[in-house]
Amino acid sequence: MSGTISIRNLRKYYGAYEALRGIDLEIERGEVVCVIGPSGSGKSTLIRCINRLEDFEAESEIRVDGTPVIPGRSLAKVRAEVGMVFQGFNLFPHLSVRENVMLAPRRVRGTTRAEAAVQADRLLARVGITEQADKYPEHLSGGQQQRVAIARALAMEPQVLLFDEPTSALDPEMVGEVLDVMKSLAGTGVTMIVVTHEMGFARQVADRVIFMDAGEIIETGSPEQVLGQPQEARTRNFLSAVLNH
């Protein structure tokens, strides 16, 4: 897998409510894409469809490096290559930090315990929390827990990393430490799609920024273009509200 993502006519309904209205999107290998927009615009739904944490309509199509995201063996293949970091960490409270990172490689890839432990320690060093390896999640700050969650996603050596508002549940003083780790991942060859409210991060790290509203992509382009010189009134209104907040 090389991490390319192709989305065609992506539609998602919750009852009669259309959350995604025919999204078409191509994301290249190694590209860092930040998705911005108001609450309820469909940003999180979009990325949750990529590894089918959300089902979508039958006429829609998503492919990750050519593999269709459909139930069955192909979905298992996609999920093994697509890591996800959630807003709420989702760590297992009964496992130590190291054991949280070791779990997926051992269960999914059949990695030995010794190999998984070595890999976990390397990844915990990479995200800057080596000294927390034997602690349990409840003894860590929110920023530390989110860095463990990133290490856990990296443990599967994914080609694609999805971030669903990874800093929105954090206290303001902890946001920077998580964004620093994410910045270090950009440019490593992994494809990153980041739903975020952090405009400074998007401006600094993204290859492309996508602005969504009401289940549609309204505007897409470079950070300079979308954040600095937006063409659409809805984009301008959103940025004005966010940047003057």
Side-chain angles (χ1 to χ4, degrees):
M1 280 208 167
S2 66
T4 58
I5 299 167
S6 177
I7 297 173
R8 292 271 182 276
N9 190 32
L10 180 57
R11 295 183 180 276
K12 168 68 180 177
Y13 288 90
Y14 294 103
Y17 174 68
E18 191 173 15
L20 296 174
R21 304 177 176 213
I23 300 282
D24 291 313
L25 183 61
E26 297 285 333
I27 295 174
E28 297 302 321
R29 180 182 190 275
E31 195 175 8
V32 179
V33 177
C34 284
V35 185
I36 64 171
S39 295
S41 59
K43 309 182 299 294
S44 293
T45 304
L46 169 63
I47 67 163
R48 288 171 68 87
C49 285
I50 292 173
N51 58 359
R52 207 154 185 141
L53 290 178
E54 294 278 359
D55 276 329
F56 44 83
E57 306 312 311
E59 69 267 25
S60 306
E61 181 182 76
I62 301 177
R63 290 178 177 268
V64 177
D65 205 50
T67 302
V69 182
I70 55 177
R73 291 173 67 178
S74 67
L75 180 57
K77 181 181 175 186
V78 167
R79 284 181 174 167
E81 302 294 345
V82 178
M84 185 144 187
V85 178
F86 299 89
Q87 186 175 329
F89 322 139
N90 290 15
L91 300 175
F92 292 105
H94 64 290
L95 297 178
S96 70
V97 164
R98 182 185 289 110
E99 289 168 332
N100 264 281
V101 179
M102 290 167 60
L103 186 63
R106 294 196 66 209
R107 284 211 175 156
V108 179
R109 298 218 192 276
T111 306
T112 67
R113 183 174 182 82
E115 288 171 335
V118 168
Q119 181 196 39
D121 287 346
R122 177 173 57 79
L123 291 171
L124 292 172
R126 183 172 176 182
V127 300
I129 47 173
T130 300
E131 70 284 359
Q132 311 295 343
D134 295 316
K135 293 184 180 177
Y136 288 84
E138 65 180 357
H139 298 126
L140 273 57
S141 69
Q144 289 170 331
Q145 289 190 58
Q146 193 60 292
R147 285 189 278 164
V148 175
I150 293 172
R152 182 180 61 181
L154 289 171
M156 287 293 286
E157 300 178 344
Q159 300 295 328
V160 178
L161 274 175
L162 309 175
F163 294 86
D164 188 4
E165 300 194 24
T167 60
S168 62
L170 300 179
D171 294 331
E173 66 270 19
M174 295 174 186
V175 168
E177 66 190 59
V178 173
L179 293 180
D180 285 344
V181 170
M182 293 169 62
K183 287 174 191 172
S184 76
L185 296 175
T188 62
V190 66
T191 306
M192 293 171 58
I193 308 175
V194 185
V195 173
T196 186
H197 293 291
E198 301 291 337
M199 299 302 145
F201 173 82
R203 190 183 297 274
Q204 191 175 352
V205 177
D207 298 307
R208 184 161 38 135
V209 174
I210 292 171
F211 172 68
M212 289 184 67
D213 192 15
E216 299 177 314
I217 292 177
I218 305 300
E219 191 160 352
T220 180
S222 69
E224 297 76 17
Q225 183 185 330
V226 175
L227 301 177
Q229 297 178 304
Q231 302 299 301
E232 300 292 332
R234 276 196 275 181
T235 315
R236 291 195 293 272
N237 291 341
F238 170 76
L239 290 171
S240 174
V242 169
L243 297 176
N244 295 327
H245 179 59

